[in-house]
Amino acid sequence: MHPSLRLKKNQDRRLRAGHLWVYSNEVDNDATPLKGFEPGDVVAVENAQGRWLGLAYVNPNSLICARVVTRRRDLDFDQS
């Protein structure tokens, strides 16, 4: 199970349209502070209501703070 990265209200539109990047200004820092993550951590991206949107790598030190790698719940990251 991966920690959550929650987005602000209505900030999931781009991801639902197929985009892969999450910008730092789209993150709900009250619910999931970006500074609580290390670069390269794997997170479960959620919309403001907690609905799962995908798995992503996170970089809290960048404007593009996360990149979605998969939208499939049955896939997970491993060393390979």
Side-chain angles (χ1 to χ4, degrees), residues 17-55:
H19 293 272
L20 300 176
W21 295 352
V22 176
Y23 291 95
S24 58
N25 64 334
E26 298 172 332
V27 175
D28 182 347
N29 276 297
D30 292 333
T32 56
L34 272 175
K35 296 301 179 190
F37 299 106
E38 295 292 323
D41 282 351
V42 177
V43 295
V45 180
E46 300 176 344
N47 70 5
Q49 293 76 34
R51 182 174 161 253
W52 193 87
L53 299 171
L55 289 179

Side-chain angles (χ1 to χ4, degrees), residues 36-72:
F37 299 106
E38 295 292 323
D41 282 351
V42 177
V43 295
V45 180
E46 300 176 344
N47 70 5
Q49 293 76 34
R51 182 174 161 253
W52 193 87
L53 299 171
L55 289 179
Y57 286 111
V58 69
N59 183 352
N61 305 317
S62 177
L63 175 62
I64 299 170
C65 67
R67 185 185 189 285
V68 175
V69 177
T70 184
R71 297 174 194 279
R72 293 179 47 188

Side-chain angles (χ1 to χ4, degrees), residues 6-20:
R6 180 136 325 165
L7 302 181
K8 293 177 184 174
K9 185 177 180 179
N10 297 324
Q11 294 300 311
D12 59 332
R13 291 183 303 243
R14 286 183 329 90
L15 289 180
R16 287 186 292 114
H19 293 272
L20 300 176

